Amino acid sequence: MIGAHSPALLILFPLLASFVIAGLIWLDRRLCFPVAVIGLFGSVYSAGHLFFQVLETGAISYRFGGWPPPMGIELQVDQLNILVLVVISLVALINFVASKRSMHTELGIKDETFYVLYLLFVAGILGVTATADLFNLYVLIEISSLASYGMLAMGHPDRAPWASLNYVFLGVIGASFYLLGVGYLYIMTGSLNMGDVHSLLPPIMHSPAIVVAFIFCLIGVWVKMAFFPLHGWLPNAYTFAPVSASRVIAPLMTKVMIYVMIRIMLSVFGYEYVLEKLDLHKWVVALASAAIIAGAFMALAQQELKRMLAYIIVCEVGYMVGGAWLGNVQGLTGAVLHIINDALMTFALFLVLGNIVYIRTKTRFEDLQGLFASMPWTMAGFVLAGVSIIGVPPTCGFFSKWYLILGGIEAGAWVFVVALVLSSLISAILVFRIVEIGFFPADDSDHEAYDHGQEVLKEAPVPMLGALGLVGTGLIAVGIWSGFLVQRVILPFIQQSVAS
Amino acid sequence: MSDLLTEIVHKYNYWLYIILMMIGLYAMIAKNNLIKKLVGMNIFQTAIILFFISIGYKEDATIPIIAGGHGDHAAHKAIEASQYINPLPHVLMLTAIVVSVATLGVALALVVMIYQRYQTLEEDEIRMRVKQ
């Protein structure tokens, strides 16, 4: 009975839990944390259940309230989004359990209010991923964005509100462009259901209104995912945010928006239309290559760990957009696989960041000296995540990059291939620079300040390290099983939607 | 030339929404005062709401409530779609209005936080103090 409703329960668990917590704040604050964990665990359970169901029977369509699709709202879970759903729910749960203490130290008395926003955010992005209705997608994007504005503003008191306000302005522009694109599609087809729009489009494909609709949707989603020329809001918003917020927003928000782009390209407009009628893909791949190079170099220019990680995200977004627009199955497979892998890699890096912030509070490069001596486990996690960002087998980063490069060669997009290889080299510099700084203790000239000379072992609390260990194992496990994921889950869907 | 003019007059609702949208976008980009930026943001969102509302409109049509269609006779009435305006865009925009009000609320709360910290709403002054 519950199994049949798991697509809805996936979203409803965190949504209801957030309402319950909002009430519990006045009744008994001690109950808030367990309720939040139950809500997040409910969505992990539903996602796991759906994963095995999709493996067995293929796509699942769920009708809200029993109304059939063109009229009612439909949730659809298929091979494309099931992996994203599993990753979102797992990352949200692991981060929540791991950051209990750092939420308390960073936010003080406001931490239960933060839980409410956290769960709303998770419900929003799970909904964005699961929905098959274009307008519903807009509303859920705004729910998750509004929650993230609130969370990001709770950080550094001088800078966070202003950074968050700039994010509000750009976020509103992005979402409004998307809504406008949906409006044009609605004028032309009279429908809002993705599958229905897809079947109604072929006779009117030549219309310029469809092109305008596609471009509006695309630009809207690009703003939200911080694709290179539109990335301005991201570094400040993520740098000044409380670390427990950026740990969940940074890995998930941009990846979910990339998923939305791929979903719109494949399931609404159709890959053939996007590639052949529009003839935009050469430009987009060139822009993506520019994004990769620019992101990598801007990351290289930073002197602060948080900002460096923020620019690495900008760079990684370029990988996925480029892969999706290469126009062949390899590139698309790489892009979808990289959504999963990059969510995990970024999450691992931000977990490391959270541990460092919890112990040392400062993350400028000169404050990172002696980290290997004082926080060996955390730095082991950093090396593992860094190696995965560079793309060394058997970590998962290697496999998706491999598919992306194969796709680039097949499409003859040499600029993209060069950008990928170059950015891998730059990430190697980025990672080993931190390793070098962390390996040596603070300067001799500061010896008066550090009387004891030797760094003392001062690791992060066990839950934080446990989460890092879990995600680190995940990085290798996803790498080893990436063949299974590609063959059983990603490739069948892509071949089917590219062929049709 | 006159073709262009009739085209514009014929589709004036689209031109109106584009003009409004550009006013909003201009204010969001060019204004220095944060409250003026927020006003621009609201104009921007309202333009899109206006766009959606206008596409549901039909000449000589009325609100989508079936006249005299109460009680037992309701089932016998034939419904002519051209007599009623399309309610779906209006329903969608109820949600979009809620979203825009919520966004405005969050943005105003952020502006209050900024004002409490910097005692000003002018963006260049805030930028100057941040750099110090």
Side-chain angles (χ1 to χ4, degrees), chain A residues 108-129:
Chain A
I109 192 107
K110 281 192 283 188
D111 58 349
E112 280 93 358
T113 330
F114 183 81
Y115 298 171
V116 177
L117 291 177
Y118 188 98
L119 287 163
L120 271 180
F121 172 76
V122 174
I125 52 173
L126 283 171
V128 167
T129 316

Side-chain angles (χ1 to χ4, degrees), chain A residues 110 135 138-139 142 146 149-150 153-154 157-162 164-166 168-170 172-174 176-177 179-180 182-184 186-187 190 192 216, chain B residues 14 17 21 25 28 34 37-38 41 44-45 48 51-52 55 86 88-89 92-93 95-96 99 102-103 106-107 110-111 113-114 117-118 123 126-127 130:
Chain A
K110 281 192 283 188
F135 187 77
Y138 162 76
V139 176
E142 283 300 57
L146 283 169
Y149 303 147
M154 285 177 167
D158 290 352
R159 299 291 299 275
W162 195 32
S164 180
L165 187 67
N166 283 328
V168 172
F169 288 137
L170 274 164
V172 163
I173 292 177
S176 300
F177 273 152
L179 181 59
L180 209 54
V182 172
Y184 277 83
Y186 177 71
I187 294 177
L192 290 168
F216 269 136
Chain B
Y14 297 134
Y17 106 78
M21 209 171 125
L25 203 57
M28 282 167 87
L34 291 178
K37 280 187 175 227
L38 284 190
M41 183 179 91
F44 186 81
Q45 288 174 312
I48 291 166
F51 162 71
F52 266 84
I55 62 177
N86 183 359
L88 185 68
L92 298 183
M93 283 311 105
T95 316
V99 168
T103 317
V106 172
L110 293 175
V111 168
M113 284 172 86
I114 294 170
R117 175 66 187 76
Y118 292 106
E123 205 168 25
I126 298 172
R127 194 170 289 129
V130 163

Side-chain angles (χ1 to χ4, degrees), chain A residues 2-340:
Chain A
I2 289 175
H5 292 286
S6 29
L9 288 177
L10 182 76
I11 304 161
L12 290 179
F13 262 116
L15 188 67
L16 290 180
S18 80
F19 292 149
V20 171
I21 294 169
L24 279 179
I25 290 175
W26 277 282
L27 295 175
D28 190 348
R29 279 168 176 263
R30 281 167 305 172
L31 289 176
C32 294
F33 188 78
V35 170
V37 171
I38 291 170
L40 292 168
F41 185 77
S43 57
V44 171
Y45 178 79
S46 312
H49 187 85
L50 283 170
F51 180 70
F52 292 111
Q53 221 175 329
V54 167
L55 273 189
E56 266 178 38
T57 59
I60 301 163
S61 158
Y62 178 83
R63 298 164 177 187
F64 247 112
W67 293 89
M71 305 297 159
I73 287 174
E74 183 194 8
L75 296 181
Q76 198 178 24
V77 181
D78 55 21
Q79 288 98 331
L80 180 60
N81 60 8
I82 183 61
L83 289 176
V84 185
L85 289 173
V86 170
V87 168
I88 293 174
S89 48
L90 274 177
V91 167
L93 178 64
I94 293 175
N95 178 42
F96 191 77
V97 176
S99 357
K100 182 169 193 277
R101 283 211 219 167
S102 72
M103 283 190 268
H104 193 69
T105 47
E106 278 185 308
L107 305 161
I109 192 107
K110 281 192 283 188
D111 58 349
E112 280 93 358
T113 330
F114 183 81
Y115 298 171
V116 177
L117 291 177
Y118 188 98
L119 287 163
L120 271 180
F121 172 76
V122 174
I125 52 173
L126 283 171
V128 167
T129 316
T131 189
D133 184 278
L134 289 165
F135 187 77
N136 200 229
L137 183 67
Y138 162 76
V139 176
L140 287 162
I141 286 178
E142 283 300 57
I143 289 176
S144 54
S145 302
L146 283 169
S148 67
Y149 303 147
M151 283 199 281
L152 293 173
M154 285 177 167
H156 195 284
D158 290 352
R159 299 291 299 275
W162 195 32
S164 180
L165 187 67
N166 283 328
Y167 180 25
V168 172
F169 288 137
L170 274 164
V172 163
I173 292 177
S176 300
F177 273 152
Y178 172 78
L179 181 59
L180 209 54
V182 172
Y184 277 83
L185 269 184
Y186 177 71
I187 294 177
M188 297 306 290
T189 61
S191 179
L192 290 168
N193 183 278
M194 288 182 188
D196 198 32
V197 169
H198 185 63
S199 61
L200 289 168
L201 272 181
I204 46 172
M205 271 304 184
H206 55 273
S207 161
I210 302 291
V211 179
V212 173
F214 182 70
I215 303 267
F216 269 136
C217 286
L218 194 64
I219 292 183
V221 175
W222 278 356
V223 173
K224 285 276 184 185
M225 73 170 76
F227 187 47
F228 163 54
L230 310 167
H231 70 282
W233 57 268
L234 187 139
N236 275 348
Y238 287 1
T239 307
F240 300 116
V243 90
S244 31
S246 56
R247 278 210 292 210
V248 69
I249 297 171
L252 297 183
M253 192 71 188
T254 50
K255 308 303 166 301
V256 166
M257 296 323 290
I258 289 160
Y259 157 76
V260 169
M261 184 189 74
I262 294 177
R263 171 64 83 191
I264 289 173
M265 284 164 68
L266 293 182
S267 300
V268 180
F269 289 87
Y271 208 43
E272 194 198 14
Y273 170 78
V274 171
L275 290 177
E276 286 170 19
K277 298 248 171 69
L278 284 181
D279 205 27
L280 271 175
H281 56 284
K282 287 235 159 58
W283 297 102
V284 178
V285 170
L287 202 59
S289 315
I292 294 171
I293 301 282
F297 275 107
M298 286 188 291
L300 201 54
Q302 303 308 316
Q303 289 297 317
E304 214 254 303
L305 190 59
K306 277 186 194 176
R307 286 192 92 80
M308 189 187 97
L309 294 185
Y311 280 108
I312 287 180
I313 295 175
V314 174
C315 171
E316 301 277 330
V317 167
Y319 285 18
M320 287 169 267
V321 175
W325 280 82
L326 280 173
N328 52 46
V329 174
Q330 303 270 24
L332 210 51
T333 309
V336 176
L337 188 60
H338 204 67
I339 293 180
I340 318 296

Side-chain angles (χ1 to χ4, degrees), chain A residues 319 389-391 401 405 419-429:
Chain A
Y319 285 18
I389 285 272
I390 300 166
K401 242 178 214 183
I405 290 181
L420 270 176
V421 175
L422 188 65
S423 84
S424 301
L425 294 177
I426 295 180
S427 3
I429 299 175

